[in-house]
Amino acid sequence: MPNRRERLAAALLVAPLLLFLLGVFLLPIGAFLWRAVAETDVAPALPRTLAALRDWSGRDLPGEAAFEALLARICARARAADQAAGGGLIPRAAARLNAEIPGFRSTLPATARRLSSPEAPARETILAASPDWSKPESWAAIRRTGGPVSDLNLLAALDLRRDAAGGIAAVPPDQAVFRGVLLRTLWIALLATALSLLLGYPLAYLIATAPPRLALWMLGAVTLPLWISDVPRIAAWIVLLQRDGVANTLLTATGLLREPASFLFTRGTVLLATVNLLLPYAVLPIYASLRALDWRLPRAGLSLGASPWRVFRRVTLPLSMPGVGAGALLVFIQALGFYVTPALLGGPNDQMLSYFIGFYANRTVNWGLAAALSVVLLLAVAIVVALYARLVGFNKVRPA
């Protein structure tokens, strides 16, 4: 047993690595995922309005106090104070509310432009400035986004939302997007995993049973694609499958096709490239499991009169299942997060969840929804890992 000084020395040795991981990995990811529940835009801009809406039922328009607070906040004198202090609170709040009610981005600024000073009664003044204020949904959106945390982005990532009364309801069918995208992502990843295992197991078996020198060359051929970046490999598929590419040229020259076919931007092309990229991750764990297999057991089964298929089904396959499970886990998790392959080779109906995370993070700058979609993807990965640990376990793959 190491003494206290040895344990302290070991801790000091690993401390720089732990601090490095904390600073460049855990903290940035945690800060990004926190945006999925953080609400920091509306509360600084409309604090009195939120206080007035705290006891509002959500069924009808709020009381006069809410109208008075909103009117006082967006009048000319308040806007001038904002600009003197750095400004930007109302535009940021309007941008956040626009994610809840499309088109609301212009409501707050338009209302502010039409008001020069607080007038009484406030209700009539606000209602005359914009018809959006006559809808309880507008006030409910302000209260929902008041923070400091909310589940709005997480619900939106599952095509759910809260109504004016605070209950959870499904969005209209014409606005539902993300559940379909999540199911598509899981389906593509599942198909890619199944195809990788179907192709990878025979190859791993062949390598494991080949003579040592030949097995070394075959193993090198399997791992060689891992030395090449994904983008050049995807570009090679584009060159191969485009209308005037190698595949169409050969097929038309041999008479199998009368005219070039459209191979690109299809689900099949996405699956083909995904399997090509991830096949080594299926082969290597299965190969390690087969290398650790006691081959006297299959030979004993054959000597006792069992057919080769029965020996494989009753002996070889069950003993290699830890490697199959590890390969399936590696392929499925990586396929879930694929972004470049569907973006370059797939059509609009082939994009996976990672594409929408990038879309909302980079194009619309809706970091909250991008973080919420990332949380959904992370939960999917966690569920898969938990199922693997439950069914297979992490301690059953023996080293080769």
Side-chain angles (χ1 to χ4, degrees):
M1 291 290 294
N3 56 34
R4 183 176 180 181
R5 179 175 296 181
E6 291 174 341
R7 290 196 297 267
L8 179 60
L12 292 176
L13 285 175
V14 300
L17 177 60
L18 293 178
L19 292 176
F20 176 79
L21 293 176
L22 180 66
V24 305
F25 184 73
L26 297 179
L27 287 180
I29 292 179
F32 174 67
L33 295 180
W34 170 250
R35 290 176 176 265
V37 296
E39 293 287 355
T40 58
D41 294 328
V42 176
L46 304 171
R48 289 181 54 194
T49 306
L50 289 169
L53 293 174
R54 186 173 296 119
D55 299 325
W56 174 49
S57 65
R59 290 187 292 269
D60 301 315
L61 290 179
E64 186 71 20
F67 286 93
E68 291 176 353
L70 180 63
L71 180 61
R73 183 65 187 86
I74 63 178
C75 71
R77 286 181 296 178
R79 297 201 313 272
D82 260 356
Q83 293 173 359
L89 295 180
I90 288 181
R92 287 201 299 271
R96 176 64 187 93
L97 292 169
N98 188 75
E100 298 299 312
I101 303 178
F104 203 83
R105 183 188 299 270
S106 60
T107 299
L108 276 175
T111 303
R113 287 194 301 268
R114 294 168 186 168
L115 300 176
S116 58
S117 62
E119 302 175 13
R123 177 187 290 263
E124 285 74 9
T125 302
I126 294 295
L127 293 179
S130 174
D132 289 332
W133 300 116
S134 62
K135 304 173 182 178
E137 292 81 4
S138 301
W139 299 93
I142 294 177
R143 184 172 66 174
R144 289 197 305 266
T145 56
V149 296
S150 73
D151 58 359
L152 300 179
N153 287 315
L154 293 176
L155 292 175
L158 298 173
D159 291 330
L160 301 173
R161 66 179 181 182
R162 291 194 178 273
D163 54 26
I168 298 177
V171 302
D174 58 337
Q175 299 178 15
V177 176
F178 299 118
R179 274 187 287 186
V181 173
L182 177 60
L183 292 176
R184 180 197 306 160
T185 301
L186 294 173
W187 178 242
I188 292 176
L190 184 62
L191 285 178
T193 303
L195 291 174
S196 297
L197 292 179
L198 287 176
L199 295 174
Y201 196 100
L203 181 56
Y205 187 91
L206 186 62
I207 298 174
T209 56
R213 181 172 298 181
L214 180 59
L216 183 62
W217 283 99
M218 296 174 65
L219 195 60
V222 170
T223 58
L224 182 62
L226 298 178
W227 304 352
I228 306 172
S229 174
D230 290 350
V231 175
R233 295 164 68 183
I234 295 173
W237 281 111
I238 295 176
V239 173
L240 182 66
L241 298 176
Q242 60 187 347
R243 290 188 65 87
D244 56 348
V246 177
N248 271 312
T249 301
L250 292 176
L251 291 174
T252 54
T254 56
L256 296 177
L257 290 179
R258 294 184 178 180
E259 58 183 15
S262 299
F263 294 123
L264 293 179
F265 313 120
T266 63
R267 183 71 55 84
T269 303
V270 173
L271 281 172
L272 180 63
T274 301
V275 172
N276 172 255
L277 294 173
L278 297 180
L279 185 60
Y281 298 99
V283 173
L284 294 177
I286 298 174
Y287 166 76
S289 183
L290 290 173
R291 282 280 295 173
L293 181 66
D294 187 353
W295 289 97
R296 292 175 297 179
L297 298 177
R299 288 195 292 269
L302 292 173
S303 65
L304 292 175
S307 65
W309 167 246
R310 188 174 185 182
V311 168
F312 172 78
R313 183 169 54 89
R314 300 293 296 273
V315 179
T316 307
L317 183 60
L319 292 177
S320 63
M321 281 305 296
V324 174
L329 183 68
L330 286 174
V331 173
F332 188 80
I333 289 177
Q334 293 194 71
L336 279 179
F338 260 35
Y339 172 80
V340 178
T341 303
L344 295 181
L345 298 177
N349 295 325
D350 301 317
Q351 302 306 314
M352 299 169 68
L353 201 59
S354 297
Y355 171 85
F356 290 88
I357 294 173
F359 175 82
Y360 285 105
N362 298 323
R363 297 190 185 180
T364 65
V365 200
N366 189 346
W367 285 64
L369 187 53
L373 293 173
S374 301
V375 170
V376 171
L377 192 60
L378 186 63
L379 288 177
V381 171
I383 292 173
V384 171
V385 173
L387 288 175
Y388 173 82
R390 176 83 175 180
L391 299 176
V392 180
F394 292 100
N395 59 344
K396 295 183 180 180
V397 179
R398 294 175 295 175

